[in-house]
Amino acid sequence: EAGVAQSPRYKIIEKRQSVAFWCNPISGHATLYWYQQILGQGPKLLIQFQNNGVVDDSQLPKDRFSAERLKGVDSTLKIQPAKLEDSAVYLCASSLVGLTSNTEAFFGQGTRLTVV
Amino acid sequence: AQSVAQPEDQVNVAEGNPLTVKCTYSVSGNPYLFWYVQYPNRGLQFLLKYITGDNLVKGSYGFEAEFNKSQTSFHLKKPSALVSDSALYFCAVRDTNDYKLSFGAGTTVTVRA
């Protein structure tokens, strides 16, 4: 079974520029997560989708971050404009069933963003 | 709201010795608990989970974890560590009254030959 695909793997941008990340979850997985992992810290949930609906985006900085999941499959996460503190690895994950499910999440390799 | 604590930033053990990585959690309902491992420049890989039933859970690569409800802990263990076990380990929890999957800060494990 193919895993969670993310692109690009690496991205370097200047502050105030915009950037977009793409994620293709495991086929059939209803739940999709975007996490931000700053060096030395655990992953922090930015947004969680159930199919194409948002179930939690309480930690998403909505003044600069946006995410969408069209047709309940692929997802994109955008940052506009980027700040230095956005430098992190952005992880996408998916799981078969969401909400209060006991199923584990499967993670992509992540996109390492460096803002200079 | 749920939270996870990993009290040790680093754990160092000699190859062949037992390995323990500690995790405590806080939830309002009942917990679903998970352990993940992360190798350099890689995503998180699932190791094992506790849902219900037997408090001792066995997972991948010879790892196991023990759920202790009274101590709200879910420590990861391996009887005999390998150098290849050197990595970053994350504990995660989902509250059955919520849906968010929350992670601890991680513990770096170094196994010396």
Side-chain angles (χ1 to χ4, degrees), chain A residues 9-10 33 35 37 40-43 45 48 55-56 58 91 99-105 107-109 112, chain B residues 32 34 36 38 41-46 49 51 88 90 94-106:
Chain A
R9 286 294 313 278
Y10 305 92
Y33 315 78
Y35 284 86
Q37 186 179 15
Q41 299 181 19
L45 180 66
Q48 180 174 341
V55 295
D56 187 276
S58 57
L91 296 166
L99 300 182
T100 57
S101 164
N102 59 22
T103 57
E104 60 271 25
F107 284 79
Q109 290 189 296
R112 182 178 297 278
Chain B
Y32 294 144
F34 306 82
Y36 286 83
Q38 186 175 37
N41 298 316
R42 300 288 295 276
L44 279 71
Q45 296 178 32
F46 169 74
K49 66 181 177 182
I51 304 303
L88 183 56
F90 290 99
R94 174 181 283 133
D95 190 333
T96 55
N97 288 337
D98 202 331
Y99 42 76
K100 288 185 281 191
L101 182 62
S102 299
F103 284 81

Side-chain angles (χ1 to χ4, degrees), chain B residues 3-88:
Chain B
S3 65
V4 182
Q6 293 182 241
E8 301 162 317
D9 291 336
Q10 292 195 357
V11 170
N12 299 303
V13 298
E15 189 173 34
N17 281 1
L19 169 64
T20 298
V21 186
K22 296 180 180 177
C23 171
T24 59
Y25 66 90
S26 174
V27 294
S28 59
N30 291 311
Y32 294 144
L33 293 154
F34 306 82
W35 274 102
Y36 286 83
V37 61
Q38 186 175 37
Y39 297 99
N41 298 316
R42 300 288 295 276
L44 279 71
Q45 296 178 32
F46 169 74
L47 280 178
L48 50 77
K49 66 181 177 182
Y50 170 80
I51 304 303
T52 186
D54 194 346
N55 289 342
L56 185 64
V57 178
K58 294 188 183 298
S60 306
Y61 312 119
F63 283 94
E64 57 189 30
E66 186 168 11
F67 171 65
N68 187 316
K69 187 173 183 177
S70 63
Q71 297 185 4
T72 62
S73 67
F74 188 56
H75 300 332
L76 181 70
K77 300 179 180 182
K78 186 169 184 179
S80 179
L82 301 173
V83 172
S84 57
D85 294 329
S86 298
L88 183 56

